[in-house]
Amino acid sequence: MGTGERRDDFEWVYTDQPHTARRREILAKYPEIKQLMGPDPQLKWVVSLMVLTQVVACYLVRDLPWKWVIFWAYAFGGCLNHAMTLAIHDISHNVPFGNGRARWNRLFGIFANLPVGVPYSASFKKYHVDHHRYLGGDGLDVDVPTDLEGRLFCSPARKLLWLFLQPFFYTLRPLCVNPKPVTAMEILNAGVQVAFDLLLYLLWGAKPVVYLIAGSCLAMGIHPISGHFIAEHYMFLKGYDTFSYYGPLNWLTFNVGYHMEHHDFPSIPGSRLPQLEKPRPGDGRSRAGNPGQEDRGRVLRPPAPPHLLGLRPLGLRLQRHAWPLRPGQADLHRCPGAVTVGRGGGARAGGG
């Protein structure tokens, strides 16, 4: 961001997303990782406590001046609501009740959605499966910014504006890139959410409702806890489109920072992802989840990205895959691949 660099196009790659092959490779060498897979029943109690905490907070802010309502929405409620969206992420992977009780997980996701203020859980589940299956896929992965975003937000000031507006792009992009029919679960999600918001309004007025919704919007935009939106699939290093963060913010975000690990093993709950980094005697590796460029067999962590906490990386440099793989182009870009909102470099395939 600080360099003022401008780019005309995404960086296009024609290799398949790497995590499926990496999963096979890692499990072949470390089959004991399968023991980490499966549900985590503790998640439902943590989420229930978070919902209760936000209900109590709604009661406490009912008589505060508006400036303090917004302050606490950013400083406290937003942090909790952002963490709740990441709990909903784990719920979308059937963590609370397991794969055999998918409907219970969907209904629990609607319950977890209540403090967020706007219906989110059912729609997130519908699109998130594509994010894993078609990581960076053009017209398939709605987490990738659109061409319009890449053209409009190409200067430092505009990129900063994009960060402020990120919640709205994240919400509206699926409707433009890959719209899907509305499901019965989404209708139920919306109905329950509206009823909950209306109940808060009738009990304690407008301030609790504003506290919840403003907190969700503020904490998904310019907020320290939302840095993972960029870090997860930003091409800090050539060839790597998925990055992991191992710092203390993982305590508040259900270990979403372990993102390489999560894409390698989406069936492992976030609470157990840190166990993948524990070295095993004699194997000479540092983390199970991230690849090393010198020796793929050892499965090492890639070099740390430069300027991770600064403004310079905000060039929105992402990769985009062209699907399906085209003959003769299989090795255009090797290693974990993604796509780039920016200009220059890369072979663009088709429109979009």
Side-chain angles (χ1 to χ4, degrees), residues 19 22-27 29-33 36 244 246 258-265 268 272-280 283-292 295-302:
H19 295 283
R22 281 172 46 78
R23 186 181 308 119
R24 290 195 298 265
E25 179 184 350
I26 295 171
L27 286 177
K29 188 169 185 179
Y30 307 105
E32 65 271 23
I33 286 177
L36 300 176
S244 287
Y246 302 107
Y258 289 78
H259 215 69
M260 178 75 81
E261 292 84 346
H262 172 63
H263 274 269
D264 285 343
F265 303 103
I268 296 180
R272 298 181 194 141
L273 288 177
Q275 297 184 44
L276 289 171
E277 70 171 304
K278 295 179 180 178
R280 291 167 174 77
D283 66 9
R285 68 194 181 92
S286 59
R287 296 188 185 272
N290 289 337
D295 183 0
R296 286 179 57 82
R298 290 170 60 197
V299 198
L300 299 175
R301 179 181 178 182

Side-chain angles (χ1 to χ4, degrees), residues 52 125 186 199 207:
L52 178 61
K125 166 63 178 177
E186 287 179 289
L199 178 62
K207 290 179 180 179

Side-chain angles (χ1 to χ4, degrees), residues 20-311:
T20 302
R22 281 172 46 78
R23 186 181 308 119
R24 290 195 298 265
E25 179 184 350
I26 295 171
L27 286 177
K29 188 169 185 179
Y30 307 105
E32 65 271 23
I33 286 177
K34 294 180 181 179
Q35 299 174 15
L36 300 176
M37 300 177 182
D40 178 9
Q42 296 299 321
L43 179 64
K44 60 179 176 287
W45 305 117
V46 175
V47 168
S48 298
L49 180 61
M50 293 169 66
V51 173
L52 178 61
T53 300
Q54 282 293 67
V55 171
V56 172
C58 286
Y59 173 79
L60 295 176
V61 303
R62 72 194 189 284
D63 294 325
L64 290 180
W66 279 108
K67 64 178 181 180
W68 288 110
V69 172
I70 301 302
F71 171 81
W72 287 114
Y74 183 87
F76 178 77
C79 296
L80 215 55
N81 277 4
H82 193 116
M84 188 65 79
T85 65
L86 299 170
I88 290 172
H89 166 263
D90 266 17
I91 294 168
S92 76
H93 286 281
N94 298 328
V95 169
F97 298 98
N99 293 327
R101 304 176 73 183
R103 182 168 293 272
W104 281 100
N105 288 294
R106 302 292 79 74
L107 294 175
F108 188 68
I110 293 175
F111 169 72
N113 197 145
L114 295 179
V116 179
V118 294
Y120 165 81
S121 177
S123 298
F124 176 82
K125 166 63 178 177
K126 183 172 68 174
Y127 287 100
H128 187 63
V129 66
D130 288 344
H131 174 61
H132 278 270
R133 186 177 299 163
Y134 307 113
L135 179 63
D138 182 36
L140 296 170
D141 183 1
V142 297
D143 279 19
V144 177
T146 63
D147 285 340
L148 180 61
E149 290 172 76
R151 289 195 301 269
L152 291 180
F153 300 99
C154 56
S155 69
R158 293 181 187 181
K159 291 169 188 174
L160 183 62
L161 176 61
W162 183 87
L163 292 179
F164 276 102
L165 299 177
Q166 146 44 42
F168 303 99
F169 288 118
Y170 194 82
T171 302
L172 299 176
R173 192 184 298 130
L175 305 179
C176 302
V177 174
N178 188 19
K180 297 183 179 184
V182 177
T183 65
M185 194 61 70
E186 287 179 289
I187 295 174
L188 178 62
N189 191 179
V192 170
Q193 189 64 57
V194 170
F196 178 76
D197 293 347
L198 181 60
L199 178 62
L200 287 180
Y201 176 77
L202 293 176
L203 288 175
W204 301 320
K207 290 179 180 179
V209 179
V210 172
Y211 163 79
L212 293 180
I213 297 177
S216 298
C217 293
L218 292 171
M220 293 182 70
I222 291 290
H223 196 284
I225 204 172
S226 67
H228 70 91
F229 282 122
I230 295 176
E232 288 166 357
H233 298 291
Y234 180 101
M235 199 169 65
F236 290 104
L237 297 176
K238 185 75 170 179
Y240 291 89
D241 74 323
T242 306
F243 262 88
S244 287
Y245 159 78
Y246 302 107
L249 282 179
N250 282 310
W251 302 340
L252 305 176
T253 57
F254 295 90
N255 289 320
V256 72
Y258 289 78
H259 215 69
M260 178 75 81
E261 292 84 346
H262 172 63
H263 274 269
D264 285 343
F265 303 103
S267 56
I268 296 180
S271 60
R272 298 181 194 141
L273 288 177
Q275 297 184 44
L276 289 171
E277 70 171 304
K278 295 179 180 178
R280 291 167 174 77
D283 66 9
R285 68 194 181 92
S286 59
R287 296 188 185 272
N290 289 337
Q293 292 176 310
E294 296 80 12
D295 183 0
R296 286 179 57 82
R298 290 170 60 197
V299 198
L300 299 175
R301 179 181 178 182
H307 312 293
L308 182 58
L309 298 179
L311 293 177

